Amino acid sequence: MPLHTLSERPFNGEAPLSALRSPITPLDSFYTRSNFVEPDLDPESWRLRVAGAVGIAREWALADLQALGVVDRTVTLECAGNGRTFLQPPVEGTGWTLGATGTAVFTGVPLHRVLSLSEPSEAVVEWVFSGADRGPADGWGEVRFQRALPVDAATARPEPLLAWAMNGRPLEPNHGAPLRLVVPGWYAVASVKWLTDIEAVTRPFEGRFQTDRYMYVEQGRVLGPVTRMRVRSLILEPSPDAPLPSHGPLDVSGIAWSGAAPVNRVEVSTDGGRSWSDAEVQPPAEPHTAQRWHWSGPTPSGDTVELRARAYDESGACQPLEAWRNDLGYGNNQVHTVACGRQPASPSS
Ligand SMILES: Nc1nc2c(c(=O)[nH]1)N[C@H]1C(S)=C(S)[C@@H](COP(=O)(O)O)O[C@H]1N2
Ligand SMILES: [Mo]
């Protein structure tokens, strides 16, 4: 299923929700978010430089990284701007509805393995990841796409990957070929594409995409960078254009995920949020893979029915009914509502 295009150059496109029904999102339906036009990198001459406050700075060719060991991880990525377009009053920025998410199998080498080989200094506080893409930014001149991860997220955990393949195929140019970072559990801004440099730094990084964008800001007050994905569920069936069953039970299903902890409860409401009842939630197939859920109950009467789904995670977080409006429009995980209509009466009845 093709993406809905939000901008052509750079290309930004989101998935139709029906494409998210498949446990692994097909590549042609996996959303793309690029701040600049994608760079054209030759995988043969491309190198990854690891430098900064390290004992051993070095350059890696793709084949050297691949020789360090290969793992596959099924990871759900989500753009922090997903759901932005529902904020009122509207905020500036790419107008994502709910399709800026997808789940893929990424193949690569664990990041901590590569970074530990560089023998980082004890004074390192963050690792800065730089993509090869660049362009003008208001008040900043020309900037590269760069984002930092705190040391504990980058090296003290096994999850982050340096990935060269997605769904069993070499990374496509729009997803960061030849190599990208994948940080499971974190809003995907952390997952830097077209990676060329990793630098160990001893003071917090202050680049444009660290301190000016992808930040929670409330009425001018800076709260900090976006980090882990907030808990969210999506209703994937029935779709809003599918008529409700005329008799019998109503089946509602979808996906849910959280960057903080596994989802342990999803509730469904068919009465505008007055009453809720539990769906069956599958355990996560892998720690950072969206979970499936299913609910079955009586089909309510009335011409239209408003379905809602609300997820909770093991950390105790749950989705708010109303959006939290922040200045840059990130992390809107408000409860998903789908309005479904009744099947038109058949002419013979
Ligand atoms: N180099 C680079 N990496 C990047 C970006 C970018 O603009 N440039 N966008 C980030 C954002 S905001 C998101 S949501 C994800 C999107 O990854 P995808 O296009 O593979 O879905 O890439 C991240 N990595
Ligand atoms: Mo994003």
Side-chain angles (χ1 to χ4, degrees):
M1 266 168 273
L3 296 172
H4 295 146
T5 300
L6 298 178
S7 71
E8 294 280 0
R9 260 181 85 80
F11 179 73
N12 285 293
E14 68 177 320
L17 285 194
S18 54
L20 302 179
R21 287 179 193 154
S22 153
I24 303 297
T25 313
L27 286 180
D28 64 348
S29 305
F30 201 100
Y31 83 96
T32 295
R33 200 289 177 254
S34 298
N35 285 272
F36 303 118
V37 172
E38 69 190 44
D40 184 13
L41 301 176
D42 165 25
E44 294 298 315
S45 57
W46 171 93
R47 294 289 181 273
L48 174 67
R49 282 172 293 278
V50 181
V54 297
I56 307 173
R58 72 165 280 184
E59 290 196 348
W60 296 86
L62 206 49
D64 301 334
L65 291 171
Q66 289 168 337
L68 288 179
V70 179
V71 296
D72 283 334
R73 290 210 176 117
T74 306
V75 179
T76 297
L77 292 183
E78 183 186 21
C79 180
N82 201 25
R84 173 182 290 136
T85 191
F86 302 111
L87 296 177
Q88 285 301 332
V91 297
E92 278 178 40
T94 308
W96 305 104
T97 63
L98 291 169
T101 181
T103 299
V105 182
F106 290 97
T107 305
V109 58
L111 173 69
H112 69 87
R113 208 174 284 171
V114 178
L115 297 187
S116 64
L117 289 171
S118 69
E119 298 184 3
S121 142
E122 298 218 327
V124 173
V125 294
E126 289 178 352
W127 292 88
V128 180
F129 299 85
S130 303
D133 51 333
R134 53 175 70 233
D138 287 350
W140 289 75
E142 177 157 293
V143 294
R144 302 181 67 178
F145 186 88
Q146 299 179 295
R147 184 84 178 174
L149 268 187
V151 162
D152 58 342
T155 47
R157 303 187 65 100
E159 297 100 333
L161 275 190
L162 295 173
W164 51 78
M166 188 173 176
N167 293 357
R169 312 192 36 170
L171 270 187
E172 289 182 352
N174 58 329
H175 293 301
L179 188 87
R180 78 177 300 171
L181 178 62
V182 174
V183 186
W186 286 55
Y187 279 121
V189 59
S191 294
V192 175
K193 305 192 279 189
W194 310 295
L195 191 63
T196 58
D197 295 270
I198 305 179
E199 192 187 348
V201 295
T202 54
R203 302 169 66 96
F205 175 64
E206 293 184 341
R208 145 91 170 174
F209 294 101
Q210 194 76 24
T211 59
D212 197 39
R213 286 292 183 276
Y214 302 101
M215 305 276 296
Y216 291 122
V217 180
E218 208 175 21
Q219 290 166 351
R221 198 161 58 94
V222 174
L223 305 179
V226 307
T227 58
R228 291 182 175 273
M229 297 182 289
R230 287 147 63 90
V231 60
R232 185 198 291 285
S233 55
L234 293 176
I235 297 170
L236 301 180
E237 299 206 61
S239 61
D241 45 9
L244 289 167
S246 50
H247 53 82
L250 175 64
D251 285 296
V252 183
S253 61
I255 54 175
W257 67 93
S258 162
V263 169
N264 58 3
R265 184 173 180 192
V266 174
E267 299 174 312
V268 170
S269 169
T270 60
D271 61 4
R274 278 182 293 281
S275 64
W276 298 82
S277 63
D278 284 356
E280 254 175 65
V281 186
Q282 286 183 15
E286 286 184 47
H288 295 285
T289 312
Q291 295 165 244
R292 321 238 120 216
W293 55 265
H294 174 252
W295 179 93
S296 190
T299 306
S301 53
D303 287 341
T304 57
V305 173
E306 274 191 4
L307 302 172
R308 285 181 170 72
R310 174 162 69 187
Y312 298 72
D313 70 24
E314 282 177 9
S315 80
C318 88
Q319 294 180 257
L321 291 172
E322 302 296 330
W324 168 46
R325 189 181 179 287
N326 53 85
D327 299 4
L328 300 174
Y330 294 122
N332 176 14
N333 65 336
Q334 76 187 108
V335 161
H336 184 201
T337 302
V338 170
C340 288
R342 199 56 44 210
Q343 198 152 24
S346 72
S348 60
S349 68

